[in-house]
Amino acid sequence: MATASAPTAGIPVGPGLSMFDPIFIGIDEFGQHVYITLAYRNLLAGGEPGGGKSGLLNTIAAHAALSVDSRLVLLDGKLVELGQWEDCADAFIGPDITAALDVLRRLQTVMNNRYAWLRAHGRRKVTALDGLSVITVLVDEIAFYSATIGSKQEQEEFVALLRDLVARGRAAGIPVIAATQRPSFDIIPTSLRDLFGYRAAFRCTTPNSSNIVLGHGWAEQGYTATDIAPTNQGAAYLIAEGGTPRRIKVAYLDDAQIAGIADYATWTRRPTRLSAPTGTRVDWETAA
Amino acid sequence: MSKSSPRRSFGRKSIGTVTVIEAKVHRSSARNARMAFILTAVIIGVLAAVVAAAYVHPIIALFIGAAVSVPCGALAWLLVRIWPVLRLLWWWTPEIVLAVLLLTGWVQLATHTSTLVTLAVVAVVLGVPAAVPALRRQVVAWVWCLIVRHRLRVCFAQFIIANQSGSLPLILWATPTPVGERVWVYLRPGLSLADLEGRLDKIAVTCHASSVLVERASDGNAAYLRFDIKRREVLTATVTSPLADVIDPDAPATDRPTPVIPTALDLPDVQAPTITLPVQPKKQTATSANGSKPAPAPSSDADDLSDWL
Ligand SMILES: Nc1ncnc2c1ncn2[C@@H]1O[C@H](COP(=O)(O)OP(=O)(O)O)[C@@H](O)[C@H]1O
Ligand SMILES: [Mg+2]
C-alpha cells in the first residue's frame, strides 16, 4: 500500500520530505530500518507507562514537522510530551476538552469538504500530487480526554469525533496517531480500536494487555509484549494491517534534538505558513 | 528393509549392509546413473543421427549417431556417479578457493622475497585486521558466514529427514547482518517451511546461535527460503533519528513569548480546598438517614475522615 518505494541509501531529509514518504521509525530485530507510511494509515500505540509511546509520537512529529505538505494537530493532556512542537503545529491542545472538541469538529468539516472535493473530481483518495496537506493528528494519552476530564457527554462526543476521523480520515489525508496506556473498552471502544491500521505494543504487564493492543490471539502465538524487558524502553511489537507483529526499537529524540528540529521546522515553515493556507483555501472554495 | 532380515541371513550378508540408508542411497545412485546413461545416449544418438542424415546416407548416419551417443552417455553416467563428490567439493568451494589463494600467496612471497620482508608482509596482513576493530568484526562476520553454511547442512543431514534419496537442500549464499547471519536456502522435494519452523530451536543449537528465524524469500516460490540466525541483540541499543543530523544548527531559535511561569510548585504552596462546604451536606444526609441524634464531636471528626479516605 506504500505509495513511494523505500529509499535505498539513507533517509531523505530536508525540505524535500513529504508525509507520503515512508517514515523512519526505528530498526527491526535484524538491524534493518523500519518505515511506515502514515498518509493512509492510522497508528495506535499502547503499553505501560514509561514504555516509550511518547517517544514514538515525537519521532513521527519530527518527520511531520519537517515535511512540506504537512500540518500538525497535537492533543496532549500532559502538555510536555508534545509541547516542544507547539510552534510548528497548527493546533496545540492541552488539558482542555472544549478546545479538543473544537479542533476535532474543525477537522471533521475539513474532512467532509475534502471528500466533496474528491467526489467532484471523480477520485477516491488524496495523493501527493494534489497539493493538499496531510493533517497529522497526534493524541497522547487518549484516556485523559475520553475518560478523565470533561463531562460524560463531552467524553462521548470526543470519542465519536475521533472515531469518525479514524474511520474516514485516511483517504482524505488526515491520519490519526494515538497513544494510550491500555486501550481497553472503557478507554476507547473496541470498535474504534480495531480501526487503527498500525498498532505498536510497548511493554505490557500481562499477555492480555498485549492482545488488547495487537489484536486477539497474538500472545498465544508467541507475540506478546510482556517479553520486552522493563529496562528496554522504546522496544515494541509493531503490526501492520494483515501482517505479523515485528519486534522493533523506536528511534528516540532527546529534548535538545527535538528543540533543534522544532526550531528549524518553525523557521522553514514560516514562509509557507503565510502563503499556503490562502492558496489551498482558494482551491477549496472553488472546488467544493 | 525389515529389521529381521539381516539377522536371519547374517552369515551371508556382508557387514556393509548394516547402514541401511547408505545402501539405499548407493543403489538409487547406481540406478540414476544407469537412467542418465540411457537417456543421454538415446537423445544424443537420435539427434546426431538426424543431423548426420542430412549429409550422409541414413545407415551411416545411424552409426555416427551410435558413435557419438556412447561417450556422451558415459559422461552423464560418470557425472551422476561422482555427484556426491562434486557436491562435497561445492560445499567446500569457498574454503578451497581461499586456501589455494592463501597458499599460493605464501609460496610466491616466500620464494620471491627475503625472510624479513615475508615476515613483515605477513605481520601487516594479519596484524592490521586484528588491530582495527571494525575490520576485525567484519572478518569475524565473514568467517561466521562460512561456518554457518556448514552447520545448516549438518542440520539437514542429521535430523531433518528430507526424502528417500537423501537429497539435501541447496544452501546458497550467506551474508552478515548486525545480529548474525542471513542464509538463503533452496529446498528440495520433501521439505517445507512448516517442517522447518517446528525445529528452529534445534537449528539454533546446531548453529551455536541464540535463535533462528525462517521465512520465505520469494512470494512466487515456496522452496526459496531465508534463514535469519541471531547471535546478538540489537533491540537494546539506542537508535537515533537521522532527522536530528540534517537540520541546520544555525537555524534561528524561535522567540517564544515568555509564558506565564507558574509559581506554586510545592505542596505547601497550594492551599487545601475549603472543605466546610462539601462536608456540611454530607453530615446532614448522614444524620437524617440514620434518623438518630447528631453524634458528639469526636465521632463526627472520625466520620469526616472516613468520607475523605
Ligand atoms: N526509543 C527509545 N529509546 C531509548 N529510550 C527511550 C525510548 N523511548 C523512551 N525512552 C525512555 O523512556 C522514557 C519514557 O518514555 P515515554 O515515551 O515518555 O513513555 P510513555 O509515553 O510510554 O509513558 C523516556 O524518558 C526515555 O528516557
Ligand atoms: Mg507518555
Side-chain angles (χ1 to χ4, degrees), chain A residues 9 115 137 229 237 246:
Chain A
Y115 278 122
V137 185
Y237 278 93
R246 298 164 78 183

Side-chain angles (χ1 to χ4, degrees), chain A residues 48-55 57-58 76 78 81 140-141 179-181:
Chain A
E48 66 174 28
K53 303 179 294 292
S54 306
L57 258 57
N58 272 310
D76 177 12
K78 241 164 118 185
E81 300 283 16
D140 201 358
E141 303 297 354
T180 185
Q181 289 174 6

Side-chain angles (χ1 to χ4, degrees), chain A residues 11-14 17 24 26-32 59 62-63 66 84 87 232 235 247-253 257 260-264 266-267 270, chain B residues 177-179 182 211 213 215 226 228-230 232-257:
Chain A
I11 292 94
V13 281
L17 274 181
F24 174 81
I27 58 170
D28 66 7
E29 56 184 319
F30 306 112
Q32 315 279 314
T59 304
H63 183 104
L66 290 178
Q84 286 175 289
D87 292 308
N232 192 7
R247 295 191 61 182
I248 62 163
K249 175 83 175 203
V250 174
Y252 186 67
L253 292 165
Q257 287 170 324
I261 296 178
D263 279 342
Y264 182 70
T266 318
W267 181 52
R270 196 155 286 149
Chain B
T177 63
V179 290
R182 184 167 277 185
S211 65
L213 283 183
E215 52 188 15
R226 200 174 69 196
D228 271 303
I229 290 124
K230 281 184 70 179
R232 293 174 287 276
E233 184 63 78
V234 283
L235 292 186
T236 47
T238 301
V239 186
T240 55
S241 172
L243 296 178
D245 302 328
V246 297
I247 55 161
D248 187 351
D250 301 328
T254 319
D255 48 333
R256 305 176 173 86

Side-chain angles (χ1 to χ4, degrees), chain B residues 273-286:
Chain B
T274 38
I275 52 168
T276 43
L277 278 178
V279 164
Q280 220 126 32
K282 284 238 168 178
K283 243 186 189 169
Q284 279 170 2
T285 50

